[in-house]
Amino acid sequence: MPRRFRLAAAALAAALIVPAAPFAAAADDAPEPGPTTLRAAMPANLALDAVATASSTELDDARFIPAHVNDGDTSTRWSSKYVDASWVQLELAEPAEVATVVLEWPNACARAYRIQTSVDGVEWTTQAERTAQATCPRVDELSLDVDEPVGFVRMQGITRWSSWGYSLSEFRVYDAPLPEPEPQLPLVPAPVSLERGDGALILTDEVEIEASGDALAAAEYLADVMRPSTGFALPVVAEADGQAIEISVAGGNAPAGHEAEGYTLEVDAAGIELAADTEAGALNGVQTLRQLLPAWIESAQRTDVEWAVPFVSISDYPRFEHRGLMVDTARSFYTVDEVRRLIDSAAPLKLNRLHLHLTDDQGWRIAMDTPAENPSGIDYTDLTAISGATAMTYNRAGQLMGTELGRTGYYTKDDYREIVAYAARNGMTVIPEIDLPGHTNAALHAIPQLNSAGSNPKPLPGEDTAPHQGTGDVGISTFDADNEHTYAFITEVLGQLAELTPGDYLHIGGDEAHSTSHADYLRMVDFANETVADLGKTVVGWNEYASSALPQGDAVVQYWNGNGASTRDAVNARGAKVILSPANKTYMPQKQDGRQPLGGTWACGGPCTLENAYDWNPATHISGIPESAILGVEAAFWGEFIRGVDQAQFYTFPRLLATAEAGWTPQSGKVLAEFIDRAGQLGTRMTVQGVNFFPTATVDWRIDAAPSVTRLPVTATPAAAGDAPRSSKVEIDWRVIAPSTAPADVAAELVWSDGVRQRVELSSAKAVDIAAMSQSSPYTGESSRNFHTSGVHTAQLEVTVGDADPVVAGTVQVTVPGRR
C-alpha cells in the first residue's frame, strides 16, 4: 500500500501555499473513475427532464432537432435555420425558480441574445440579455433573478455570429447559483484520480532523488529539469539519507490494469514517492511532479522561490496509448534544434508520439543513400540535393504564403537519429511519414526515373523531371502505377527509413491523391502496405487509405476528415486501429480567434477556438467505432504559412493542452471550466519555458513573479563614525510573468512587512503582438533597500495590469544577520 498523508505540524507551518480543502467528489451522474471536479456540489440540471422545442431546425434534419439541447451529450446539437430571430425553449417538468442558465455553443453561436422565462409559454419576460465578446465555441453562464416559479425558459436569438443559424450543444437550467470554483492544481492533462491534503512539502537543498529498479532514467530526467532553477545538487542515489524524492519502477506499482504507463504519486510531510511498473510510467509521474512544482522550475537560471509541492495522492494512467503531435517539415523546414524545442514543449504534457511529415509536394527532408545494388539507376541522394532545397513559395495568384518563403533544408541520417534519440529521452516515439502516391511532387522533381507516362505533373519541354511545386495546392501530383521504378523507389525509401526508426510504425500518407485513378491508387498503396509489413513495422495512413488492403490486425488509420465510413469499415473488416486527428478539433494552423490575420478557417467554418479543441469525445467522434479500437489522438500543424518554431508554437498553444487532455483524461473527468482555469495557471510555466503561446482571450492568464536576492557587505554610515548606525544593503532582481500584456499596462510595487512601499520599474523585451505572432516576454525589474536592524524582513510584490486590482505575484524574504 502506498503511504497516506502523514501531516507534521512543522511542515504545515512552513507551507508556502495556503492550505485548501480537499477536492469534493464528482457530480452524482459522473461515472467513475475520474478526477474530482472543480465545483463542490452542483445543483440538479432541470433541463434534463424538460421538453425542448424551437422556432426551426436546420435543413429539417433529425441531426439538429431541439431535443439535442437537453440530452446531456455535448457531441449533439440543435441548429436553427438561418434567421436572426430564431429561438429554442425548454418546458420544465414542473414549475421552478430559475437562478442559473448555462449555454454551450459549438461553432455557430449567437452574437446577441436574450434569456426569457414564461409561466404559461405565451407571455414572456426577458431576464437577461447578452452581447458576446468571444467567438464560438464558448460556454455562457448567466445568473438570473427570477422571483417566482416559471414553466418555460427560452433562448431568444437577436443576432447570429455568422451567416449560419444558431447552434446549441447544451441548454442547462438550475434552480440555484452554481458553486464558486475551488482552486485547482495546474495539471494538464488532468489525472484520473487526485486527492489533495492540507499543506505542502518544502524541498531543501539537501534533497536527494532515490532511484530503485529501472527508475534511473526518470530520476536523471527529473534532476536535469530541477538543477538549473533550484541550484540544488540533487544527487541520484540508490538509498537516500534524508529528504528524498523516491522513484521506484517494479512490478505491481502501477494502478492495476494500467501497467504500461500508469503510476502513483504520493506527496506528504515525509517526502515524495513515485511508483510505476515501467520507465514510461515513471516518466509520466515525473511530468506530473514537474507541474506540481512552482512554474519557475522551468527556468534556466537559479531562482529564489520556495520549492513547495502540495500534499497529494494521485493514481493515474492514460485513456489512450497514442498521444501525438505531427510536425510538417516538408512545406517549411525545422532544424534539429527547433524540433528539440517542440519536443521540450510537448513532452511535459505526456504526449508520447512525434509524427514527422518528411515529404510532400514542396520538399523532401530526409537523406537517402544510393544502394550498391541499384538496377533502377536512381540517385537517391538527389532527393535532398534537389528537393531539400525547395519549400513553400507563392500561391497561384503569386501571393506569398506566410510571412516569408518556406524554409529549406533536410535531415541527414545522423540528424534523424539525433531527433529519435532526443524524443526517446523525453518519452516520445518518432513516427516518420513518406507521403504517397500523391503529395509526391518533390520526389518527381528530383528523380527522373519516376517521371513516366502515368505520373503527374509532367516535365516541362526539355526537362526530365517535374517542375517544383511550391504552392499550397493539393491533389495534383501522383506516381505512375505502371512504372517499375515506382515500386523500386517505394521499397528502397521505406526500407532505409525502417532501418533508421526503432519505433513500430511507418506512415505512408495516402491522402488527397486526386489525380490518381482509384485502381492505380490501390495498386501502389497496397504495395506500400505489404512493404511496411515485410519490414516488421505497422503501417499508418490517412483515412483515404482505409479502403486499401490493410494488413489484417496490423494497420492504423489516421482519421482527419470525411464521414468516417471507410475508417469504420477498416476497423470492422480489417481489425485496424484508429488515430483521431479531426481537422475541426486538432488541426493547428487554423485561426484561434478572429484577431489573427493569418490562419485557416476552413476546418471549423471560422476560428477553431481553444474551447472547440477541448469540447469533443474521441470515443463518439465516429459512430460505430468502439473506444477499444481507438489507438489515440494526435494534433497536427501543417506548414503552408507557418515559418519557424515560434510561429508553430503560436498556432499550436494553448490548443495542444486540450489535445493532450483528450488523449489522457477520462471523458468523465473533462470539465471545460476546470481546464480553462488550469490553462491560465500554465501561462507562467509556458512563458518561463519559452513557449510562444497564443493569448487566448477567454483564459485568465495568471501573474507570477520570482526574486533573485543579493545581500551586499555591511557598510558604515557615516564611515568616519565608529559607533554610527551600520546598514546591510539588499538588492533584488525581479522576473515577472504577465502573459498577454504590454509594458505600458503593467506596474509593480514592493510592499514590506514594516509598511515601506517601493515602486519597481518593469521592462520587457517584447509585448504581446498577435499580428507578429508573438507572446509577451518576462518582465524584469530591480529594487534595493538598506536595513539598519538584523532579523527577517519580508515583502510582497504587487503587480497591477491596467485598471485591475493589484495581484500579489511574488514574495521575498531577506535575513539580515546581527553584528559581530
Side-chain angles (χ1 to χ4, degrees):
M1 288 289 291
R3 80 183 167 210
R4 303 302 300 165
F5 300 120
R6 300 190 291 272
L7 306 182
L12 285 172
L16 176 68
I17 60 173
V18 177
F23 279 21
D28 291 341
D29 59 353
E32 296 294 339
T36 51
T37 60
L38 179 70
R39 298 191 184 276
M42 292 288 288
N45 177 12
L46 305 179
L48 293 175
D49 297 322
V51 176
T53 54
S55 58
S56 63
T57 296
E58 182 181 5
L59 305 176
D60 296 320
D61 191 322
R63 293 175 299 167
F64 308 129
I65 59 175
H68 289 323
V69 300
N70 61 331
D71 62 2
D73 184 354
T74 57
S75 68
T76 64
R77 61 187 170 94
W78 161 76
S79 292
S80 74
K81 295 188 186 304
Y82 311 149
V83 178
D84 279 336
S86 301
W87 53 262
V88 63
Q89 69 186 34
L90 298 170
E91 182 179 0
L92 304 180
E94 57 184 46
E97 295 181 359
V98 175
T100 309
V101 166
V102 176
L103 302 177
E104 292 201 24
W105 303 97
N107 283 329
C109 57
R111 187 179 299 274
Y113 63 94
R114 298 184 181 96
I115 295 298
Q116 299 176 322
T117 60
S118 174
V119 174
D120 55 9
V122 178
E123 299 292 330
W124 294 89
T125 301
T126 297
Q127 303 292 352
E129 186 167 324
R130 174 72 60 90
T131 298
Q133 302 301 315
T135 57
C136 45
R138 66 171 194 266
V139 178
D140 292 347
E141 182 177 316
L142 300 95
S143 297
L144 309 182
D145 185 16
V146 180
D147 56 6
E148 63 175 349
V150 297
F152 299 81
V153 184
R154 172 184 285 188
M155 187 290 297
Q156 174 65 62
I158 299 175
T159 310
R160 291 165 292 148
W161 195 274
S162 67
S163 60
W164 302 99
Y166 302 99
S167 285
L168 270 179
S169 295
E170 285 296 298
F171 185 166
R172 299 188 176 98
V173 177
Y174 302 96
D175 61 1
L178 301 186
E180 287 296 318
E182 296 182 3
Q184 287 236 305
L185 294 175
L187 298 178
V188 173
V192 172
S193 175
L194 181 150
E195 297 176 23
R196 185 171 179 180
D198 294 337
L201 173 69
I202 310 301
L203 298 180
T204 72
D205 59 4
E206 299 296 322
V207 66
E208 298 175 315
I209 302 178
E210 180 178 303
S212 61
D214 293 326
L216 183 60
E220 291 286 4
Y221 185 95
L222 179 62
D224 288 344
V225 169
M226 295 179 63
R227 283 171 182 148
S229 52
T230 63
F232 298 168
L234 288 164
V236 176
V237 299
E239 186 172 351
D241 293 329
Q243 189 183 61
I245 301 172
E246 302 173 17
I247 305 178
S248 170
V249 174
N253 280 346
H258 302 281
E259 292 78 10
E261 292 193 81
Y263 68 93
T264 61
L265 179 62
E266 305 281 344
V267 183
D268 60 27
I272 297 172
E273 286 187 353
L274 194 166
D277 277 36
T278 65
E279 293 182 59
L283 185 57
N284 287 331
V286 163
Q287 301 295 14
T288 297
L289 177 57
R290 181 178 183 173
Q291 289 186 339
L292 289 171
L293 284 158
W296 298 96
I297 201 69
E298 309 296 342
S299 176
Q301 65 188 77
R302 182 170 177 172
T303 305
D304 292 332
V305 299
E306 291 249 72
W307 298 109
V309 188
F311 293 152
V312 293
S313 178
I314 293 174
S315 178
D316 200 16
Y317 48 85
R319 180 181 184 185
F320 297 113
E321 174 186 337
H322 180 109
R323 305 172 305 281
L325 172 65
M326 193 219 76
V327 182
D328 176 8
T329 69
R331 291 177 173 86
S332 187
F333 183 63
Y334 296 88
T335 67
V336 172
D337 285 344
E338 287 182 315
V339 175
R340 287 164 66 105
R341 275 188 62 190
L342 291 169
I343 292 170
D344 288 342
S345 58
L349 304 176
K350 303 186 183 71
L351 297 180
N352 65 347
R353 301 287 187 268
L354 178 65
H355 172 181
L356 293 179
H357 186 75
L358 294 168
T359 69
D360 212 297
D361 291 324
Q362 298 80 9
W364 186 283
R365 304 299 176 211
I366 181 68
M368 293 283 136
D369 298 325
T370 300
E373 294 186 13
N374 186 27
S376 68
I378 294 174
D379 185 351
Y380 289 89
T381 65
D382 280 346
L383 288 165
T384 48
I386 296 173
S387 290
T390 60
M392 284 292 299
T393 53
Y394 304 89
N395 65 16
R396 280 179 292 177
Q399 297 172 322
L400 185 66
M401 298 288 290
T403 57
E404 61 184 82
L405 292 174
R407 299 180 181 183
T408 61
Y410 66 91
Y411 306 114
T412 67
K413 287 191 171 183
D414 283 344
D415 289 337
Y416 181 81
R417 292 186 185 99
E418 182 180 342
I419 291 171
V420 168
Y422 191 79
R425 286 195 294 273
N426 284 271
M428 301 184 77
T429 299
V430 170
I431 299 175
E433 179 185 352
I434 302 295
D435 208 345
L436 60 91
H439 288 281
T440 49
N441 201 108
L444 295 168
H445 180 54
I447 307 299
Q449 291 87 338
L450 296 177
N451 292 265
S452 51
S455 65
N456 198 63
K458 305 300 183 186
L460 298 175
E463 302 291 336
D464 58 3
T465 63
H468 170 241
Q469 204 278 89
T471 76
D473 294 346
V474 299
I476 299 170
S477 60
T478 183
F479 283 156
D480 182 355
D482 292 324
N483 183 348
E484 64 179 349
H485 299 308
T486 295
Y487 303 99
F489 180 85
I490 292 172
T491 300
E492 188 62 38
V493 168
L494 292 179
Q496 291 192 38
L497 197 59
E499 185 178 352
L500 287 169
T501 304
D504 294 333
Y505 301 98
L506 289 185
H507 202 303
I508 63 167
D511 60 315
E512 297 177 318
H514 303 319
S515 62
T516 314
S517 72
H518 187 60
D520 286 351
Y521 176 90
L522 291 178
R523 286 171 62 193
M524 290 184 279
V525 171
D526 287 348
F527 180 83
N529 289 339
E530 293 175 5
T531 302
V532 173
D534 289 343
L535 291 167
K537 303 289 187 180
T538 296
V539 66
V540 188
W542 300 103
N543 56 264
E544 289 94 326
Y545 106 127
S547 60
S548 67
L550 302 179
Q552 188 70 41
D554 193 27
V556 178
V557 177
Q558 186 163 5
Y559 171 86
W560 71 280
N561 200 12
N563 63 18
S566 62
T567 302
R568 181 169 52 250
D569 290 343
V571 170
N572 294 331
R574 308 296 297 178
K577 296 288 189 179
V578 180
I579 296 170
L580 289 166
S581 296
N584 65 334
K585 299 297 181 182
T586 66
Y587 268 33
M588 298 304 174
Q590 304 292 304
K591 289 185 179 183
Q592 301 206 46
D593 71 27
R595 296 174 293 169
Q596 288 188 277
L598 293 177
T601 56
W602 62 267
C604 296
C608 289
T609 64
L610 175 63
E611 289 80 1
N612 178 72
Y614 190 80
D615 189 17
W616 68 295
N617 183 356
T620 59
H621 195 78
I622 302 176
S623 63
I625 294 180
E627 183 162 341
S628 59
I630 298 173
L631 190 66
V633 299
E634 182 173 296
F637 67 82
W638 299 97
E640 285 87 349
F641 50 82
I642 294 178
R643 305 290 177 262
V645 68
D646 286 339
Q647 291 187 15
Q649 289 182 337
F650 201 73
Y651 276 91
T652 303
F653 288 88
R655 285 181 296 191
L656 190 61
L657 308 182
T659 304
E661 192 141 310
W664 184 279
T665 305
Q667 194 68 25
S668 61
K670 291 179 61 184
V671 180
L672 179 61
E674 295 183 4
F675 169 75
I676 295 296
D677 179 76
R678 288 180 276 118
Q681 295 185 60
L682 288 178
T684 296
R685 187 174 301 271
M686 290 189 291
T687 303
V688 176
Q689 280 182 301
V691 176
N692 186 44
F693 62 94
F694 180 78
T696 306
T698 54
V699 175
D700 178 18
W701 299 108
R702 304 302 201 277
I703 298 171
D704 202 351
S708 179
V709 181
T710 303
R711 189 174 64 82
L712 301 180
V714 176
T715 59
T717 309
D723 57 352
R726 298 167 66 82
S727 65
S728 290
K729 185 178 182 180
V730 172
E731 293 184 349
I732 306 170
D733 292 326
W734 288 97
R735 284 183 292 159
V736 177
I737 306 296
S740 307
T741 58
D745 298 329
V746 182
E749 188 175 36
L750 190 60
V751 182
W752 291 93
S753 53
D754 59 5
V756 173
R757 306 178 76 93
Q758 297 175 300
R759 183 175 178 82
V760 179
E761 296 294 335
L762 298 177
S763 62
S764 177
K766 60 182 180 180
V768 65
D769 187 335
I770 292 175
M773 290 178 272
S774 177
Q775 179 57 265
S776 54
S777 59
Y779 293 83
T780 58
E782 299 178 352
S783 60
S784 64
R785 186 177 176 187
N786 289 311
F787 291 95
H788 300 286
T789 59
S790 61
V792 177
H793 305 269
T794 61
Q796 295 179 330
L797 186 72
E798 295 183 350
V799 177
T800 304
V801 176
D803 297 328
D805 293 333
V807 174
V808 177
T811 61
V812 64
Q813 181 174 288
V814 175
T815 301
V816 178
R819 301 175 189 171
R820 294 184 177 179

